[in-house]
Each structure stands twice: as structure tokens, then as C-alpha cells.
Amino acid sequence: MTAFTSEPMPMLQSDDSEPASAPMRHSLWARVLAEFAGSLIICFAIYMMLSLGTAFYGTDMAFVAVGVGVIYAAVTFIFAKISGGQFNPAITVAAMLTSKTRVLDGILYIIAQIIGAICAGGLFAWIIPTSEQVTASAWYTMVINGFGEGSSMASQLSQLGIDFNITMAIIVELVASIIVVATAVVTMKKNGVAKRSHSVAMGIAYAAATAMSFPVTGASINPVRATGIAIFAHGKGLAKEPLTQLWVFWVCAILAAAVVALVIIVSQIIAGSQGNATLADADPAAVALTAAQKPVATQDYQDVAAQDDNVTLTEEEADLASPYGYVAKANETVESYGQQPNTQA
């Protein structure tokens, strides 16, 4: 009989050491807790940076953009291996729409993100120092998200006689959110696990989005970041109550998620149809090569095993013995050079 020996062929993997289809390693509640903790840390760090940092260093766009980017990158790096490091309802919705996150998981993620942001806002409200000269509203003005009179840059803009209206706020927040959501989705595997480049990519995306949106809306980008501070800043004597403008940031975030998911789904459908059309139009040699690259069908295993009733072939051995397998291809290559392969046991 003819015998074939070969080492098991390695599985094709994504850019990390685990297959793209591998299940999440951690339990659902561990992932939900990671989303809660990450959202709390991110929101609290941003609140502190924008309040104390701006008070001592002034409104420096480079400081704000780089600071926000570093915060997101660092926290994402810490928790990405647990939950995928989403921390943003817009990212979670896009991941659900593209089947990278299960619906139940996504709903619990969003709830955890909101609670984490609210806890961050409460902690900030509890620890900020106030006096007769420095009231709480002075701190909240630097941190809240809003447009027009609710913008953190409203006082500077009023001196110039200009105003950022709701239309501009929606467009800027939508574009900024699309940048962030698209970056997040393309740096996730099919099961929602973060790729190696995810944390760095998210830091860059948030920094770029913050740089373009901060003068207009205070750079929400993440609706829970706007929600966490708006709840505690409401009724503190601000020029515009932040809760009345909060809907803009949620609508823009969900719309951005829908746009990104739609583009990805349509591109996948087009790519699949083009691949099928190319295969149908290919010549027989190309079709045979494509078939040789695919796993051997069950019938191929049965045909090979039927040649000898006393032999039980493993999947790899059956593939090697198949007319479309690796040995057949190797034989053809050797024969093309006028040599005969030696496959006798």
C-alpha cells in the first residue's frame, strides 16, 4: 500500500495567536465588569484633565487632543483582552450590527458603560474644590459637552461674534464619531476580540476626533462621556443646561454606528459577489487550483479510505492522498521537472 506521512498542518490564524473564530476567553460578567471599569476610568480621567488641566495650563488643543488619545489608548490596552475594549455605545452598536458582538452582550456592555460614566461624574462632583471665588459651575463649564451657549468655548466665541449652532455640532460630532467607530470595528476580530493594533489605533482615532470637535462641542465622541458629567452639572447655573443638549450626542453616536456598519456589510456583500463571479468565469486550471486550496470534501476522504479497508486515515492524511491534495500537487510539480516522486512506504 501507499503510505504518506506529514506533520499536522498549522491552522490559518489572524494577526494574533488565536483563530479569529475562537470564543471570548472570559465570562460575560467579567467582560461587563471590564466595560464598567474602563468607562469609569476613561471618563473620570477626561473630566479631571479638562478641569484641572485647563485651569492650570489653559485651553491648549494639543494638550487636550493628546491627553484624550493617551487616556483611551492606555485604558483600552488594559482591558482589550477581556472585553475588546469598546467603552463607547456607538462602537458596541456597530459591533452588534456587524455580528462581532452578541446582542445580549452588547446591551449589557452599554448599560455598564453608562453606569461607569455616571459613577465617574459623581466622583468628580464629589472631589472638585469650590470656594466663594471658584464655584462648581466654573469647573463644569470646562468639562461639559454642548454647542452654542453650552459650548466650553462659548465665552471666547461670543467675543468674536460667532456661534456654533446645532447643525454644525451634529455634522462635526457625526464625522468624529465615524472616525472612532470605523477604527474600532476594523481593528476587531470576527468574535469581537481586539487585534494587536487596537489600543494604539483607538488612541490615534480619539485624538484626531477630539482635535476636530473640541472647539465646537467639547468633543463628546462617546455619548456616555457626555452623559456622566451632564447629570451632575445640570442645575448648577450654567449658561445652558447640559441635559437639554445631551440628545445630540446620542443621536450622532448611534447614527455613526449605523453608517459604519452599513458600509462594512455592503462591502462584504460586494466582495462576496465579485469572488463568486470571478470563480465562475475562471478557466478550469484556476478552478482546480482554488479547489486544491480548500479543505477536501467528505466524499474525497471516503474514496481514499475505500482503497484499503484496513486503513483508517486521519483528516490530514486523507487530504494528502486526495487527487486534489498536497501530495498530488507535489507530484505534478516534480513530474514537470522530469523527476518521479517516491511515495512507497
Side-chain angles (χ1 to χ4, degrees):
M1 59 170 281
T2 300
F4 302 97
T5 58
S6 174
E7 294 294 329
M9 293 177 293
M11 295 180 61
L12 294 177
Q13 297 180 356
S14 56
D15 61 345
D16 276 331
S17 59
E18 66 179 325
S21 60
M24 298 289 280
R25 296 178 179 178
H26 300 274
S27 68
L28 173 59
W29 295 113
R31 286 180 272 131
V32 170
L33 183 60
E35 288 293 312
F36 164 80
S39 298
L40 190 157
I41 295 171
I42 287 171
C43 292
F44 180 73
I46 291 176
Y47 299 158
M48 295 300 295
M49 181 191 68
L50 292 179
S51 57
L52 296 179
T54 302
F56 287 105
Y57 303 111
T59 305
D60 187 330
M61 284 303 304
F63 169 77
V64 173
V66 173
V68 170
V70 169
I71 290 170
Y72 272 103
V75 178
T76 301
F77 179 79
I78 295 171
F79 294 105
K81 288 297 183 182
I82 301 177
S83 65
Q86 298 180 11
F87 311 129
N88 186 332
I91 295 174
T92 303
V93 170
M96 287 191 290
L97 293 176
T98 55
S99 301
K100 295 191 175 188
T101 298
R102 294 184 301 178
V103 174
L104 175 60
D105 295 11
I107 293 173
L108 293 177
Y109 283 5
I110 293 174
I111 293 174
Q113 293 160 3
I114 295 173
I115 296 175
I118 293 175
C119 290
L123 182 60
F124 174 79
W126 180 49
I127 68 171
I128 55 173
T130 59
S131 65
E132 293 182 358
Q133 292 77 24
V134 181
T135 61
S137 62
W139 298 112
Y140 287 122
T141 300
M142 305 175 191
V143 182
I144 61 168
N145 296 115
F147 53 89
E149 295 180 357
S151 172
S152 59
M153 305 289 289
S155 58
Q156 293 91 323
L157 294 174
S158 62
Q159 297 175 4
L160 301 175
I162 60 176
D163 180 68
F164 292 150
N165 57 30
I166 185 172
T167 302
M168 186 173 184
I170 290 175
I171 293 174
V172 169
E173 275 291 321
L174 178 60
V175 174
S177 296
I178 288 175
I179 293 173
V180 169
V181 175
T183 302
V185 174
V186 299
T187 53
M188 286 183 191
K189 300 179 186 179
K190 292 182 179 180
N191 62 346
V193 174
K195 297 180 180 179
R196 291 178 180 175
S197 60
H198 185 70
S199 58
V200 174
M202 292 312 300
I204 296 173
Y206 274 109
T210 298
M212 69 171 291
S213 62
F214 183 79
V216 181
T217 62
S220 167
I221 310 169
N222 183 346
V224 300
R225 171 257 186 275
T227 302
I229 196 65
I231 291 174
F232 295 94
H234 196 81
K236 298 297 183 181
L238 299 177
K240 193 73 174 180
E241 294 293 357
L243 285 180
T244 62
Q245 298 183 335
L246 185 61
W247 66 270
V248 171
F249 304 110
W250 279 95
V251 169
C252 290
I254 302 304
L255 183 58
V259 170
V260 171
L262 179 62
V263 171
I264 291 176
I265 293 171
V266 171
S267 64
Q268 290 174 345
I269 294 174
I270 294 175
S273 61
Q274 289 178 344
N276 293 334
T278 301
L279 184 59
D281 297 337
D283 55 34
V287 173
L289 178 59
T290 302
Q293 293 172 342
K294 294 182 179 179
V296 180
T298 303
Q299 185 62 42
D300 292 332
Y301 301 143
Q302 295 173 351
D303 293 343
V304 174
Q307 296 176 6
D308 192 335
D309 294 335
N310 297 322
V311 177
T312 301
L313 299 179
T314 64
E315 186 172 306
E316 291 81 2
E317 290 169 338
D319 182 49
L320 291 170
S322 168
Y324 303 105
Y326 289 89
V327 168
K329 293 164 59 181
N331 289 346
E332 292 174 359
T333 302
V334 174
E335 288 174 355
S336 67
Y337 285 90
Q339 301 177 8
Q340 294 297 327
N342 182 13
T343 59
Q344 296 299 320

